[in-house]
Amino acid sequence: MSQAATPLNYIQVHQLDRVGVLQLHRPEALNALNPDLMKELVTSLERFDTDEQIGCMVLTGGETVFAAGADIKQMAGASAIEMMAANDLAVWDRIRLLKKPVIAAINGYALGGGCEVAMMCDLIIAGESARFGQPEINIGVIPGAGGTQRLTRVAGKAKAMELILTGRPFKAQEALDMGLINKIVPDSQTIAEAMALAKIIAEKPAMAVQLAKKAILKAFETPLEDGLDYERHLFYLLFASADQKEGMRAFQEKRAAVWKNA
Ligand code: CAA
């Protein structure tokens, strides 16, 4: 399905080989994630997710900011009932249902909802300027798009308590040390590095990639025994795919596999 027909105000979208690229583009507000931007983003991610020509996605922001969080000005005057009735964060939640991997490429601020969107992605490449953080405490609230859950699962209780209760921003090196991100590169290389990684993944057999992602994410939700059982079922299921037959035949014939992504 083509992305071209969709008018987009806050994000830019293009495709390079089998990689779908999405760039947050609301520079006047440091890419603050208002509901319209998030609808555009999630809809575009879902389009790539159902496009057979796409194997992996890269999500990036601007040169100095990935995203400074949810739009504070837009929600400042809302009542609790209005927030619950609108439930804008339900749209954000659809990111975790994407089947294909998403790589975040981050330069500059990834704060609040920006950090949470990054953590919804499957891999994160950060430029040296990247500044992560959950500063919601400083404006009288808490993370609302998964920060307390995803940061805690990655960094552990002590670190998550410190970062969320103080709102202290942290640099790429600290994010790397706690296992939040995959790699730090010079800012000028962030997108290129993410694209190179995405290209490698996009060239792998699509069904195996998607089921591997599914199984890894399951590890965050299940006891080990259930997770192992789930993994084994997905492993057996892949023997229904043409690419399993091709991959194992190609190995024995000592040639490169030609994937059908089926
Ligand atoms: N929402 C709305 N507008 C924002 C914004 C946000 N999250 N972040 C920045 N902006 C706006 C500013 O208001 C400013 O607009 P004006 O020019 O009209 O005044 C413009 O973007 C530039 O921002 P600054 O002048 O503040 O830029 P700076 O370089 O001095 O500071 C910053 C950068 C440290 C990122 C600072 O903008 C900041 O602290 N932003 C807010 C970060 C934050 O608290 N994020 C959490 C939001 S709540 C959330 O995300 C909830 C959730 O879990 C879903």
Side-chain angles (χ1 to χ4, degrees):
M1 191 188 299
S2 168
Q3 295 265 4
T6 315
L8 297 168
N9 297 312
Y10 298 118
I11 67 166
Q12 294 173 350
V13 171
H14 70 276
Q15 176 178 349
L16 203 60
D17 299 325
R18 284 182 50 76
V19 180
V21 183
L22 308 97
Q23 180 168 26
L24 305 173
H25 188 68
R26 195 189 171 205
E28 70 282 3
L30 303 187
N31 290 340
L33 305 166
N34 68 17
D36 288 342
L37 183 154
M38 286 308 296
K39 273 182 211 140
E40 289 184 8
L41 174 63
V42 171
T43 306
S44 301
L45 284 165
E46 287 172 342
R47 288 216 176 102
F48 278 142
D49 206 42
T50 52
D51 184 342
E52 285 177 8
Q53 303 308 313
I54 296 293
C56 190
M57 294 170 264
V58 168
L59 172 59
T60 192
E63 286 178 11
T64 57
V65 61
F66 177 70
D71 191 324
I72 300 169
K73 294 172 186 167
Q74 182 269 333
M75 63 186 162
S79 70
I81 296 299
E82 285 164 349
M83 289 297 284
M84 287 179 76
N87 196 16
D88 291 320
L89 291 171
V91 172
W92 299 43
D93 213 27
R94 282 163 36 199
I95 295 175
R96 76 183 168 86
L97 302 177
L98 296 168
K99 297 192 298 288
K100 296 172 187 170
V102 185
I103 303 175
I106 296 181
N107 283 342
Y109 296 114
L111 298 176
C115 189
E116 290 170 302
V117 167
M119 289 192 288
M120 289 178 203
C121 296
D122 302 299
L123 303 104
I124 303 178
I125 302 296
E128 285 161 346
S129 70
R131 294 289 178 277
F132 299 88
Q134 298 291 164
E136 290 89 343
I137 201 86
N138 297 324
I139 53 169
V141 290
I142 66 170
T148 63
Q149 303 304 300
R150 292 195 176 91
L151 188 61
T152 307
R153 278 167 165 76
V154 169
K157 176 185 163 187
K159 196 79 178 173
M161 284 285 184
E162 178 200 331
L163 293 172
I164 291 171
L165 298 185
T166 66
R168 165 174 80 76
F170 53 99
K171 294 183 180 178
Q173 187 60 52
E174 194 172 349
L176 186 67
D177 292 345
M178 71 176 83
L180 192 76
I181 66 173
N182 294 80
K183 194 170 183 181
I184 305 172
V185 294
D187 278 13
S188 59
Q189 293 301 307
T190 312
I191 293 181
E193 186 73 25
M195 290 300 292
L197 190 56
K199 196 166 183 298
I200 291 170
I201 295 169
E203 285 167 5
K204 303 293 181 194
M207 290 314 299
V209 167
Q210 291 174 29
L211 295 195
K213 167 172 170 167
K214 216 171 156 62
I216 293 166
L217 291 179
K218 201 69 166 176
F220 292 96
E221 294 169 15
T222 51
L224 182 61
E225 191 163 348
D226 293 350
L228 292 172
D229 196 43
Y230 187 74
E231 177 197 80
R232 196 156 309 157
H233 277 90
L234 296 185
F235 175 75
Y236 293 151
L237 181 61
L238 282 168
F239 283 73
S241 71
D243 286 340
Q244 174 271 324
K245 298 286 175 274
E246 165 64 6
M248 293 193 180
R249 197 181 305 124
F251 173 79
Q252 295 177 84
E253 293 170 1
K254 300 186 189 301
R255 61 173 174 83
V258 181
W259 305 122
K260 289 197 168 73
N261 294 322

